[in-house]
Amino acid sequence: MALNCATIRTRSVVSALTFFVALWGFALSITRYSIPEEMEEGSFVANLASDLGLDVRSLLERNAKLDVIHSKNYLDINKDTGELVIREKMDRESICMTKTTSCFLKMDVILSNPVRIFNIELEILDINDNAPVFRRKTMHLDVSEATPPGERFSLTNAVDADVGANSVKTYYLSESKYFSIDIQTGSDGSKYVDLVLNGKLDREEHAIHNLILTAVDGGVPPRSGTASIIINVLDINDKAPTFSQPVFAVNVSENSPVGTVVMTLNATDLDEGTNAQLIYSYTLYTSEKTQELFSLDPQSGEIKVKGVIDYEESQSFEMYIQAQDRGANPLSGHCKVMVYVTDLNDNYPEVTIKSLKRSVAEDVSVGTLIAVVSVSDRDSGDNGAIDLHLNQQEALPFRLSKSSEGYFELLVSKPLDREVKGKYDIKLIVTDRGFPTLSENETITLEILDINDNAPMFSQSFYTIHVMENNSPGALLTSLSAHDPDLNENQYLVYFIMEKEIVNMSMSMLFSINPENGDLYGLKTFDYEREKEFLFHIEARDSGVPPLSSNVTVHIVILDQNDNTPLIVSPWRAHGSVVEEVIPRSTEKGHLVAKVVAVDADSEQNARVTYQLLQISDSTLFSLDQYNGEIRTTRMFSYRDPRQQRLVVVAKDNGQPALSATVTIKISTVEHAMTFLETTELPLEYEVFTNLNLYLVIGLGAVSFLLLITILVIIVLKCQKPKPKAIKMPPANRNSLISQRSSTIADSTLISSDAYWYSLFLAETRKGKVVVRQPIIPKGAGYFVSSIPRSIGPSETTDSRASTLEQQPRREQR
């Protein structure tokens, strides 16, 4: 509204001037306008064409232009409307640098054709667009805490670019109980301010005061500006150094290295500067020993270790310390430091052997005292609490028993056995309970003395020794060794044969053993056909007191050698003679001509006899069974066949090397022969016996008689023989004439060591009927005849009736 009123007034003036110009023509005239500063661009100022009395079209035709004098052109003429408008926003404070109440901008409006100039003055009115500003945003003041109240301090005043009522009007100070301000007005209306001290300052309580000074102008709305006042209170030495507490307690570990910081004292002095610089020192109340072990830094108050601290010598230390400032009149404070030494586990526990047995016998009783030991530790608490134990890496037959405080007894806890372990290294380990745990050990060497508590032991309880017959007398059969884990004379062994008689013959006559090393020798040559095995005991005895012994059973098995040639017992013949057989020429194919029977005194494969034709007149006429020795015809005789045939049969055993015997059989053929009944067996007439067969019958009777006498003698000897005490032995003796065999000889072969004396009587008929006559033999006499052709089954005694040879009782001669 104020601006509009001014504009209306100005227009009235302009109208009057226009009338004056119209009267005077080219007379000089000035046109004035008033506008506030900071108007926006394009704002209307005045209608220049109307105010100057010009036609709007003439402004364009006469090239009207605006010339601003000594200033930037902030205005422009709109030639279409004749209006004067704002070209650029104007700042009164920029245009009128001097701080005056009025500000004019002078310009000319120039027209051409004809030239005409109009003078225009534009007054720029001030608005409150600037806030008060302090020349110094921060003001620093140093005020001694000894300054009395009422002292005044000048402050920098604020300035405002605006003028008149828009300039600085007053000042305000932030709240403070120590300071206030005093405002004064200058001759030019400027406002000045002073800072006034209202109370006594205490730097230690409030060293710095931060105040805010605010300047406010008189504009509507008012504007303001602020400045910061920092008041530094200067110190005087009015405070003594103080410690946070009168007594300090600190712990330090013993054996702390030199230079270890125990603690750092930090006394405080509320003063500053040299008044607050402190020097630390021991007072006279601190002992010299303490000062030797601990150092005190006078500048930092740091207490360090400078000697060896040993808990075992001293558990605590007292220090009396003062802190003094460096003021003109120095002040000091005092404190007491209690240093408590913390015990470290720095002493190893000790174990001492008070009493010791270096050796004990292995038969000592459980609970026997071996050693007395004592343990100790210089440390305290858990560091001095100790435990004693044995090395647990191996199970030891010992234990520890606490007898009194710090004393232990080492006792035997289990029976000792020197053969298991002859020496013990008993490690006693003593450990404390500190952290880290410290330990010490002591080793006791205990030797176990031997006693004769172990009998000799053979590696096996039964020895079977195979000896080939025909051995050399005195030959080494085997070596028997026993072991005795005892020592010295308790392990020296002596070997001997436990006596046992066999048919009035002592074992020591058959065998001998070396008493020192257990070598067993045979003292005679053994014959398998007479002795097949021996069973006896050998004893090993140590030299301890009393002596201990053990025995082992020895079974000597005689092995058979092929040392007996097969003996042909059938057909019987005198030494070197030829066996003659007579058969009719009408004999059918497959007729049994003769049977060769051979016996071998050996056993098993050495006694297995097979038969072969060594020589034969006509190989197409006869065949020989290699297993049973039967000679049979392979075809009927023809008129071309000679009347006499010659066969050489060889009986060979299966030994290595094989042994053999031969028999020559001469076979004669006749035209006629005696005939027997086919369905029954008839007794032979005297006429069928030849001289050879008669000799066989006589020999068979004599042999049977001798055999019966022998069996009776053996039975009597067996009844008189004492029974074995330990192991049942088979009835084998070296003088027996009876051979017990379990051979697996095939074929119908007579197998016996006494078969030489057994003969077969073969009677030959035209039909091939063979009658065997034998003497009456007591049942169970022990002759063995294999009766299963080509078999490996067990032998059968002569009681069997399944033989291929028929057995008939002897018949009386007619």
Side-chain angles (χ1 to χ4, degrees), residues 755-814:
Y756 178 77
W757 306 107
Y758 185 86
S759 63
L760 298 176
F761 176 71
L762 299 178
E764 191 175 292
T765 63
R766 291 182 180 275
K767 295 183 179 181
K769 186 65 177 181
V770 178
V771 179
V772 178
R773 301 188 183 275
Q774 67 179 28
I776 299 176
I777 301 174
K779 185 176 182 181
Y783 291 91
F784 291 82
V785 177
S786 174
S787 60
I788 304 176
R790 303 184 184 183
S791 170
I792 60 172
S795 303
E796 296 182 0
T797 66
T798 53
D799 293 334
S800 174
R801 294 293 183 267
S803 174
T804 55
L805 300 179
E806 295 184 5
Q807 299 180 4
Q808 294 182 350
R810 176 176 289 186
R811 299 189 179 185
E812 297 292 337
Q813 187 176 3
R814 294 182 183 177

Side-chain angles (χ1 to χ4, degrees), residues 396-416:
L396 297 175
F398 306 99
R399 65 182 178 87
L400 288 169
S401 176
K402 188 173 184 179
S403 58
S404 60
E405 187 63 33
Y407 284 86
F408 291 85
E409 293 179 344
L410 179 64
L411 305 175
V412 176
S413 62
K414 296 179 182 178
L416 302 179

Side-chain angles (χ1 to χ4, degrees), residues 580-710:
E580 293 185 0
E581 298 289 342
V582 179
I583 60 172
R585 293 186 66 85
S586 60
T587 298
E588 299 291 334
K589 176 182 178 182
H591 176 75
L592 177 62
V593 177
K595 181 178 177 68
V596 179
V597 178
V599 295
D600 195 319
D602 295 322
S603 65
E604 299 181 356
Q605 294 298 321
N606 294 332
R608 183 175 182 179
V609 179
T610 56
Y611 304 91
Q612 295 178 0
L613 286 172
L614 189 61
Q615 295 180 8
I616 185 171
S617 301
D618 188 348
S619 60
T620 64
L621 188 55
F622 301 100
S623 66
L624 173 64
D625 191 306
Q626 64 173 341
Y627 296 108
N628 59 22
E630 293 180 351
I631 302 174
R632 295 182 181 271
T633 57
T634 57
R635 61 181 177 83
M636 294 185 64
F637 287 93
S638 66
Y639 68 93
R640 294 179 182 176
D641 293 325
R643 291 185 176 276
Q644 292 185 348
Q645 299 287 336
R646 184 174 180 274
L647 286 74
V648 179
V649 178
V650 59
K652 183 169 59 175
D653 61 24
N654 201 33
Q656 292 294 333
L659 301 178
S660 62
T662 60
V663 61
T664 301
I665 301 175
K666 182 178 180 183
I667 300 175
S668 301
T669 59
V670 294
E671 294 296 336
H672 302 284
M674 297 179 65
T675 305
F676 295 90
L677 294 177
E678 296 183 2
T679 58
T680 60
E681 294 180 0
L682 299 177
L684 297 176
E685 299 296 338
Y686 285 107
E687 287 76 15
V688 301
F689 286 102
T690 64
N691 292 332
L692 176 61
N693 292 336
L694 180 60
Y695 296 150
L696 289 175
V697 172
I698 295 172
L700 182 59
V703 170
S704 299
F705 177 76
L706 293 175
L707 182 60
L708 181 60
I709 296 301
T710 303

Side-chain angles (χ1 to χ4, degrees), residues 707-750:
L707 182 60
L708 181 60
I709 296 301
T710 303
I711 292 175
L712 291 176
V713 172
I714 293 175
I715 292 174
V716 172
L717 292 176
K718 188 173 183 182
C719 291
Q720 293 178 350
K721 181 180 178 181
K723 295 183 178 180
K725 295 181 180 179
I727 300 176
K728 188 177 180 180
M729 300 174 60
N733 63 77
R734 56 192 300 271
N735 296 323
S736 175
L737 296 177
I738 300 175
S739 174
Q740 297 284 352
R741 302 195 181 188
S742 299
S743 59
T744 55
I745 306 301
D747 311 323
S748 298
T749 304
L750 180 64

Side-chain angles (χ1 to χ4, degrees), residues 70-138:
H70 306 300
S71 180
K72 183 179 178 181
N73 189 6
Y74 291 98
L75 302 174
D76 198 4
I77 299 173
N78 189 339
K79 295 179 181 180
D80 295 328
T81 61
E83 295 177 347
L84 182 65
V85 296
I86 300 299
R87 180 180 181 182
E88 184 177 347
K89 184 183 291 187
M90 292 179 288
D91 184 10
R92 180 183 179 280
E93 289 74 27
S94 299
I95 297 173
C96 300
M97 297 291 185
T98 60
K99 191 174 178 64
T100 59
T101 57
S102 60
C103 179
F104 291 93
L105 185 64
K106 294 181 181 182
M107 62 192 76
D108 295 330
V109 176
I110 302 174
L111 299 177
S112 300
N113 301 319
V115 176
R116 190 174 178 183
I117 300 173
F118 298 91
N119 300 115
I120 298 175
E121 289 185 355
L122 180 63
E123 182 182 11
I124 301 174
L125 304 177
D126 180 49
I127 63 174
N128 193 20
D129 59 341
N130 292 284
V133 177
F134 288 91
R135 295 187 180 90
R136 293 167 59 187
K137 286 293 184 181
T138 302

